[in-house]
Structures are given as C-alpha cells and as structure tokens.
Amino acid sequence: MIRIGNASGFYGDRFDAVREMLTGGGLDVLTGDYLAELTMLILGRDQLKDPSAGYAKTFLRQMEEGLGLAHERRVRIVANAGGLNPAGLADALRTLVAKLGLPTRIAHVEGDLLPATGGALAANAYLGGAGIAACLAAGADVVVTGRVTDAALVTGPAQWHFGWGPEEYDRLAGAVVAGHVLECGTQATGGNYAFFREHDPGLLRRPGFPVAELHEDGSAVITKHPGTGGLVDIGTVTAQLLYETAGARYPGPDVTTRLDTVRLTQEGPDRVRVEGVRGEAPPPTLKVGLTRLGGFRNEVVFVLTGLGIEAKADLVQAQIHDALAKNPPAETRWELVRTDRPDAPTEETASALLRLVVRDPDPEKVGRTLTGAAIELALASYPGFHVTAPPGRGAPYGVFETAYVPAAEVPHTAVLPDGTRREIPVPPRTRELAPVPEPALPEPLRTASTRREPLGLVAGARSGDKGGDANIGVWVRTEEEWRWLAHALTVEKVRELLPETAGMAVTRHLLPHLRAVNFTVAGILGEGVASQARFDPQAKALGEWLRSRRLDIPEELLPDSPAGLPPEVPDALPYEASAAFPPGTPADFPPDVPEEHL
C-alpha cells in the first residue's frame, strides 16, 4: 500500500495544510494541486511582468518549513505548482534546500508548455503521471510539474511505487479515481457538502485534508488523518467524484477511466473503499488549455431602494444607453437582483441591486467613458441614486479555450535530480473516445401521492466549470430514491427548473453504481471563468440552485417533518444581528486597495 495525501486544492488554499498533513499522520507521498484555468491566466500575467515568475509562490513559502518535516518523515512531495515555469520553481527549491542544509533532491517535469499562437498568453498540454514516476524512480524527494492532469499527481507516484506498466488500465484507472477524489482537498472531507446540515457544525468548521490508501490492484480507501475535522463518507466521496466530470468515460493521458464502474463502500468511520474501477486505453490526443486576454471589462452596481424598483431600473438603463450611444462598448449586460422586501424595516432590506457589466477590446470604452456616464447621473437619475462603489478603470479579463493535439507531438520530459533529461514515450496503445450506451433505467418507483418540495430534501448535488461549460452532478442515497430520480430528473425537467439553460445543449449521463445523474450544460459560462460571463462564473452554486427548485416528490421519500427545509427568514433582522461587525468599527470601511487592483 502507498499512502498519498493532499495539502492543496487550489492556489490560495489553507497555507498551514502542508504542516498539518506532514505532522498529523503517516504518509508516503504528499501532493498539492495549485493549478486551475483561472490560475494559468494569473500566472501568465505574472510572467508578462517578470519572465522568471510563472509558478505558485505560495508553494515555495510552504516548503521553507515543509522540506525539513518531509525529510524527517521520509515523505516525498509532488505538486503541479510549477505552473508555467517548473524549471524556475525547481531552481528556487534547490536554492532553498542549500539554504536549509538539507540533502533533498529536486526534479521537475516539463514539456506541457507549447508554442502560444493566435494571441494566447499560454498553451499547456495536460500530461500524465509517467514523468513524475520517472523522477521518483531516479530518487527525487520533491517533484514539481507544470500542467499535468490533477489525477496525475496520484497516478505518477502509484506507477513508481507499484511498478505498473502503461497498459495496466484497471489499476491506472483506480489511481485516477483516487486522484480525482483527492485533487480538490477538503471537498472530499465535508467541504462544500450538500448535506452539511445533517452533521455537527463544529465538525465541519475546519475539515482535514484527504488521504488515499492505494493498493496494488488499484483499489483504494479514502480517509483522513485521525483527529482532524470534517468527515469521509459515501456522500462526500460521491460528490467529489461527480465534480467537473461528464459521461461514463473520463479520458486522460494515462488511461480512460470508466466512472460507471466505480463502487463505493463505507468501510468504517471516515473510511470509504473505492473498488471495481475499470480502465481503457487512453485517447490518442492530449487536451490543451489556451489562455488569452479577451479584452477589458468594468461594472457598476446601482442601488434601487423602496418603491418603483423596475421603473427606476428602466430609467437608469435608458440614461446609460443614451450616454454610451456615440461610442458603445462591444457588450453591455444588465441584471436586476431583487433583494428588496416590501415594507422593509431597514434600508438595506428595502433595496435591490442593478448590475451593469460592459466589455470591449478598448479599455477606454469600459473605463473613463463608463465612469463618466455613471457618475454624471448622481443628481440626475432615479430618486435615492447611489452605487455600491465608484466605478474604476476597466480591468483586463481572460478567456480559456480547449484544443487537442496528438500526444506524440508533445515532448513529455522528466528532468531528473542529476539534470538528466528523460523523454517519456507515448502510450503504446490508444483508443478513440466514443459514448457509452446509456444503461437501463431502474424499475420506476410506484407512489400513491407526491408533495411539491425542493429537490434538495432528497438529492445532493455538486457543480463546477469546464471551460465555458458547466456540470451538475446529482445523487441520492437509497435505491428507492434512485428509482425515482432516474425517471424524474430528465433533461427536460432540468431545463424547466433552470430557465438559464434555455437554448443551451444539456446532456444527461446515468451512473447507476453511484445512484447519480450527471448533466453538462454547454456554453453557460461563456468563454470560461476568467471572462466572468455570469453571476457565478465557475458554476459553483449551480447545483445548489437546482436543489432549491421544487418538483413533485413521492411523500415516502420526504423527511417525516419539515426539518429538512431551511428555516423561515424573518422580514428583517436587526442590524446588530445581521452585520458581520458591530457598527462603528474599522471593519465597516473597505481596506486600502492597491491602485493596480482597482
């Protein structure tokens, strides 16, 4: 068995997690996932200012303390914190190792960074775990990479430890599933969990990070260090398995994993066994993430208070339209958010928010032009005119795109601790992706009566982004609930419950072993998270919106009492009860913001 832990799910995750994981229990390998679509854009902008940058600086600071602890406990460290410059991070780590007087051996993986064309800031191929395995086999104590798949941080150590060959697909697929569960850190241990209200709130205040006990046959037990917060059960693992996935075939550079074969068993407290995973030859191409600057954006949020909310919104929209008519931005978007309540006892609860977002390749059109148009209305628009913050200069926004290239065209290279460069061969066999035939539906649940209630009383959900698309994984916990869900939650029903999906391609995938349906909504996020095309640009809460929507649910599936429903919200809370800080403290005022962030 190899024990692999995780200490980071994103660039900016809990800083102390490296120390917590190295001191909280036994580990063989500690991984850290620092990269996401938005992160690559941030690192690209860093590198434009400083060519020696482009990696996650947080990781380097964590290693100041972590390297000594890892050396004492003989734990290897594998992280994709290299971002756009893994060689630069490896050099910085060697300098740090010399300063600390440690014998730690550093290696890195490169080759994912491809020539950027067509105005792209960066083009990164998603590599597999074989380069990591080669570095570990050569004696590396720390391996840093650029853009590998998130699961490669686990498949690489597994290949090294067990000596798996490239065609042991079932074992590799088991490692991919374990890696996918670990990659987002505390999302596997109770973080962002749909059924969090069923557990002691104190347990979930500081979830521990996950650990996978991976076995030679590819099976694994997902757990966490003893005494840490959070929980590991079938629900938390199912939620993470559904996160940012689509159909039954989950393609990757090491193996195509069949998610429809995953079986979960609660083995004990905070221990979930994952087994039965089948794998197939990987596709012949690698996914490439392209990041580029899409233009400039700006926004103004108008506060509308009291009576005539819609009339006030109509007036200011018409005024802004007239002011921008001579030189309009390429895109203008308005959204009225009705946070107001009738006869509200506080001004804040009597107010709605009207959000204006503009975009254009020309920063002037979304900067001074918009600022002037908005501010000049201060004494000439609707009664009670004010905004949440003065509009600033236009800010650049990014665009994420996906392309595919033949794997043989990507120079996957392991740079070993002694500087030797080892080229990683492409997989000996590949298989073109094809949809899996839909499994048979379960026997419908016969019911005498239904009640119109929120879906979330029965089902959990987790959602996320994949470029401009979003996925929503929905699961239930009993066979009776599954017999109802599989028939009730169709594509047509999702379109009805989520009107924002109108005109978009919605696809449903059944995963019976997980009692889950997974939906993909094409294009709902525009050009990706960095473009901020919608209110929730990463679709993090899309699943929770779906859970809040009402439909006819069999009464025998519903809780005996309305305890599952959210409590009734009073018309208004007193200010002292609703404010994060008491009035009159410095927390009422915004912090000083550097000018370059405005």
Side-chain angles (χ1 to χ4, degrees):
M1 182 183 72
I2 181 172
R3 285 176 58 87
I4 303 176
N6 170 282
S8 176
F10 66 100
Y11 189 13
D13 208 342
R14 190 190 306 167
F15 187 86
D16 294 337
V18 168
R19 178 180 178 82
E20 292 170 9
M21 291 301 290
L22 288 172
T23 60
L27 286 178
D28 299 300
V29 177
L30 180 62
T31 67
D33 183 5
Y34 291 79
L35 302 184
E37 295 166 5
L38 182 60
T39 314
M40 302 305 285
L41 179 70
I42 293 170
L43 296 178
R45 289 178 61 186
D46 286 349
Q47 204 168 44
L48 285 177
K49 300 175 185 177
D50 178 4
S52 68
Y55 55 80
K57 297 176 183 177
T58 303
F59 175 76
L60 193 60
R61 297 203 307 272
Q62 288 172 310
M63 290 299 101
E64 291 182 21
E65 180 181 38
L67 288 176
L69 293 171
H71 176 66
E72 292 172 8
R73 290 159 174 76
R74 303 179 67 181
V75 177
R76 315 273 183 130
I77 295 176
V78 179
N80 60 13
L84 299 174
N85 189 7
L89 177 56
D91 287 341
L93 286 168
R94 292 185 187 99
T95 300
L96 178 60
V97 165
K99 174 184 172 182
L100 298 174
L102 294 170
T104 305
R105 293 160 293 185
I106 310 296
H108 72 277
V109 177
E110 60 185 39
D112 64 294
L113 190 61
L114 304 180
T117 59
L121 279 176
N124 294 82
Y126 287 69
L127 303 178
I132 296 171
C135 291
L136 293 171
D141 301 299
V142 178
V143 182
V144 291
T145 76
R147 181 74 276 189
V148 296
T149 65
D150 300 338
L153 301 176
V154 171
T155 63
Q159 291 174 71
W160 157 68
H161 183 79
F162 295 118
W164 293 339
E167 296 185 78
E168 297 192 57
Y169 299 130
D170 292 347
R171 291 176 169 85
L172 288 167
V176 165
V177 169
H180 183 63
V181 174
L182 261 58
E183 71 182 56
C184 289
T186 53
Q187 278 199 165
T189 57
N192 302 350
Y193 185 43
F195 296 115
F196 76 100
R197 289 188 296 177
E198 298 180 3
H199 301 276
D200 176 5
L203 188 68
L204 299 178
R205 288 175 65 174
R206 189 179 172 87
F209 278 71
V211 174
E213 298 174 354
L214 189 61
H215 294 267
E216 197 277 337
D217 64 356
S219 65
V221 171
I222 307 299
T223 184
K224 61 186 184 69
H225 282 336
T228 57
L231 69 144
V232 179
D233 65 14
I234 289 176
T236 66
V237 175
T238 299
Q240 180 55 29
L241 277 175
L242 295 173
Y243 182 63
E244 295 181 346
T245 60
R249 283 194 168 104
Y250 185 56
D254 294 312
V255 63
T256 293
T257 302
R258 289 291 296 266
L259 296 179
D260 56 343
T261 63
V262 180
R263 295 179 183 271
L264 305 178
T265 307
Q266 192 77 41
E267 189 176 78
D270 294 322
R271 293 181 62 83
V272 172
R273 178 167 293 280
V274 184
E275 57 191 347
V277 187
R278 305 300 299 272
E280 300 168 347
T285 58
L286 295 181
K287 176 182 173 181
V288 177
L290 302 168
T291 55
R292 62 178 173 84
L293 292 178
F296 296 83
R297 72 183 296 279
N298 205 349
E299 69 175 75
V300 186
V301 180
F302 300 90
V303 182
L304 315 174
T305 303
L307 304 177
I309 295 293
E310 293 185 2
K312 290 171 180 175
D314 290 343
L315 174 58
V316 73
Q317 286 187 59
Q319 290 176 312
I320 292 291
H321 178 270
D322 292 344
L324 301 180
K326 291 183 179 179
N327 195 19
E331 181 184 343
T332 302
R333 178 172 177 171
W334 294 89
E335 187 170 8
L336 177 60
V337 183
R338 297 300 300 264
T339 53
D340 56 305
R341 301 177 189 173
D343 195 22
T346 67
E347 182 178 340
E348 186 174 1
T349 56
S351 300
L353 301 177
L354 178 65
R355 181 169 176 249
L356 166 63
V357 177
V358 294
R359 302 171 190 273
D360 198 275
D362 181 358
E364 185 68 20
K365 287 188 179 182
V366 302
R368 185 173 302 174
T369 301
L370 176 67
T371 300
I375 296 305
E376 289 170 4
L377 293 176
L379 304 179
S381 188
Y382 59 86
F385 179 99
H386 66 286
V387 296
T388 56
R393 297 192 300 269
Y397 70 88
V399 170
F400 180 85
E401 299 170 341
T402 299
Y404 293 87
V405 299
E409 295 181 7
V410 178
H412 188 175
T413 305
V415 184
L416 308 182
D418 64 0
T420 301
R421 301 177 64 85
R422 180 172 298 169
E423 298 302 318
I424 304 301
V426 297
R429 285 196 297 152
T430 61
R431 174 176 176 169
E432 294 284 353
L433 283 178
V436 173
E438 280 291 295
L441 290 171
E443 183 72 20
L445 182 67
R446 306 300 177 188
T447 183
S449 59
T450 62
R451 206 163 71 225
R452 196 161 186 82
E453 299 286 3
L455 174 64
L457 293 189
V458 174
R462 179 163 288 166
S463 55
D465 62 313
K466 279 294 185 184
D469 302 341
N471 96 290
I472 313 171
V474 182
W475 82 95
V476 290
R477 295 176 286 184
T478 69
E479 280 303 312
E480 291 75 18
E481 291 169 345
W482 171 240
R483 289 170 57 193
W484 169 76
L485 183 77
H487 292 272
L489 200 60
T490 62
V491 168
E492 293 72 22
K493 179 57 69 173
V494 166
R495 289 188 184 281
E496 174 189 327
L497 297 175
L498 304 182
E500 274 189 49
T501 63
M504 299 176 183
V506 179
T507 307
R508 184 177 95 146
H509 307 278
L510 289 176
L511 298 170
H513 291 325
L514 299 177
R515 300 191 186 103
V517 288
N518 204 3
F519 296 90
T520 56
V521 185
I524 193 170
L525 303 179
E527 294 178 296
V529 53
S531 71
Q532 300 183 52
R534 69 187 297 271
F535 168 68
D536 175 15
Q538 289 182 284
K540 296 291 189 183
L542 193 59
E544 286 301 295
W545 178 29
L546 180 62
R547 291 182 72 232
S548 73
R549 300 289 283 163
R550 295 176 183 265
L551 69 168
D552 295 327
I553 301 175
E555 286 197 339
E556 61 263 40
L557 301 183
L558 292 167
D560 294 333
S561 69
L565 290 169
E568 291 294 325
V569 179
D571 288 343
L573 295 173
Y575 181 77
E576 289 78 12
S578 60
F581 299 95
T585 68
D588 289 333
F589 300 94
D592 292 331
V593 179
E595 184 178 355
E596 63 266 27
H597 292 170
L598 293 175

